[in-house]
């Protein structure tokens, strides 16, 4: 069974600075996707970034980038130039491809607070 | 594209009552997922529909839970004889298909409190 671990329950960063959120996962599969979702307080979950396991190049989306280390089964999220609106719970998620359902398996989340 | 919608957003019920939640996916999405999220935890998969067919149910989904997706459009999740342990946020997500289109888009959730 696949598992996703986020070892940082809470993190804090000053506005305009850079922060990295950690995620590790365990799987015996070779084809899968990894995601970071953001869940602001009392608001719905939105996709931040996705990474296909077969791609060696790390995904980037504006201020958000990932460090995908397939051999180490590590998938960290870097947020550059942090903004107050980045304050949220961040979830790392795994999806096995080629399966019947493509369900997401989530970590327990990291609560990020951006301080002014 | 109005996104995934869920109704109601909040529900308070007494133990033993039945409740039903509705999810309207993004219109062209043929895949629909239900997840449950308890405080301090990530969402956990409950069940999955491809069009109108329910293709997988988690063992978390006891026989008190039933989900439907008639005509492959909106979906309902019913909980019979609610228990306090059912208190959680129930999330619905939809997606278009495989590969790049498998990204799941989430609704705002229905927060259930069982007294």
């Amino acid at each position: 069974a696949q598992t996703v671990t986020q070892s940082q329950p809470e993190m804090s960063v000053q506005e305009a600075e850079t922060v990295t959120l950690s995620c590790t996962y365990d799987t015996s599969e070779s084809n899968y996707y990894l995601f970071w979702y953001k869940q602001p307080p009392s608001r719905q979950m939105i996709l931040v970034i996705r990474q296909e396991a077969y791609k060696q190049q790390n995904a980037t989306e504006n201020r958000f980038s990932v460090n995908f280390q397939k051999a180490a089964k590590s998938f960290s999220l870097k947020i550059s130039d942090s903004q107050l609106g980045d304050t949220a719970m961040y979830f790392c998620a795994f999806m096995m491809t080629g399966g019947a359902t493509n369900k997401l398996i989530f970590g327990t989340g990291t609560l990020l607070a951006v301080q002014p | 594209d109005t996104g995934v919608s869920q109704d109601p957003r909040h529900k308070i019920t007494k133990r033993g009552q039945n409740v039903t939640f509705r999810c309207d996916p993004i219109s062209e999405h043929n895949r629909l997922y239900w997840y449950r999220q308890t405080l301090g935890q990530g969402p956990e998969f409950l069940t999955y529909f491809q069009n109108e067919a329910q293709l997988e149910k988690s063992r978390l989904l006891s026989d008190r839970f039933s989900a439907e997706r008639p005509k492959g459009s909106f979906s309902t999740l019913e909980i019979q004889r609610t228990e306090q342990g059912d208190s959680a946020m129930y999330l619905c997500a939809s997606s278009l298909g495989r590969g790049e289109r498998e990204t799941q888009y989430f609704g705002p959730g229905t927060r259930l409190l069982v007294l």
Side-chain angles (χ1 to χ4, degrees):
Chain A
Q2 290 79 21
T3 58
V4 177
T5 301
Q6 294 180 250
S7 58
Q8 305 155 314
E10 297 183 18
M11 292 194 72
S12 182
V13 65
Q14 292 295 125
E15 198 174 5
E17 297 198 340
T18 296
V19 64
T20 299
L21 309 184
S22 301
C23 173
T24 58
Y25 58 95
D26 188 24
T27 184
S28 58
E29 303 293 328
S30 57
N31 295 319
Y32 50 87
Y33 297 144
L34 295 163
F35 302 83
W36 280 97
Y37 279 89
K38 166 186 176 181
Q39 190 175 40
S42 301
R43 293 180 61 188
Q44 67 196 80
M45 194 163 326
I46 58 175
L47 177 69
V48 175
I49 199 165
R50 61 177 275 158
Q51 173 80 44
E52 290 84 352
Y54 65 86
K55 290 186 177 178
Q56 293 186 334
Q57 186 173 6
N58 288 326
T60 61
E61 286 289 340
N62 302 313
R63 297 183 296 108
F64 299 88
S65 61
V66 298
N67 183 4
F68 174 48
Q69 302 289 328
K70 191 172 183 179
K73 296 180 183 175
S74 170
F75 182 60
S76 61
L77 174 70
K78 186 171 81 170
I79 305 174
S80 304
D81 186 25
S82 298
Q83 300 176 359
L84 296 178
D86 294 334
T87 293
M89 182 72 87
Y90 286 80
F91 290 100
C92 178
F94 171 97
M95 176 195 293
M96 187 180 72
T97 59
T101 67
N102 290 359
K103 62 190 175 192
L104 289 167
I105 298 169
F106 287 87
T108 52
T110 296
L111 181 60
L112 175 67
V114 180
Q115 306 292 342
Chain B
D1 181 356
T2 57
V4 179
S5 61
Q6 292 186 245
D7 184 70
R9 296 288 305 276
H10 303 273
K11 179 70 177 179
I12 300 174
T13 191
K14 293 182 179 179
R15 188 176 54 185
Q17 298 294 304
N18 299 343
V19 295
T20 300
F21 310 142
R22 177 180 171 123
C23 170
D24 286 89
I26 294 172
S27 59
E28 67 269 27
H29 286 188
N30 61 343
R31 296 180 172 216
L32 188 147
Y33 300 79
W34 284 99
Y35 294 85
R36 182 170 68 187
Q37 184 179 20
T38 53
L39 275 176
Q41 300 296 318
E44 295 176 291
F45 169 78
L46 290 179
T47 190
Y48 157 70
F49 289 86
Q50 183 166 322
N51 299 311
E52 67 275 9
Q54 187 176 19
L55 297 185
E56 185 174 345
K57 295 195 297 184
S58 164
R59 56 184 169 80
L60 292 175
L61 215 64
S62 76
D63 56 6
R64 296 184 297 105
F65 287 71
S66 63
E68 295 183 340
R69 193 184 182 197
K71 302 179 183 177
S73 56
F74 71 91
S75 177
T76 58
L77 178 68
E78 181 183 16
I79 309 174
Q80 296 182 326
R81 305 180 304 280
T82 52
E83 302 173 355
Q84 289 183 327
D86 297 331
S87 295
M89 175 78 87
Y90 290 84
L91 298 170
C92 177
S94 71
S95 70
L96 193 53
R98 294 189 178 275
E100 296 283 338
R101 302 179 301 171
E102 184 43 57
T103 296
Q104 294 179 29
Y105 296 89
F106 284 81
T110 295
R111 186 172 294 281
L112 173 66
L113 177 61
V114 182
L115 301 177

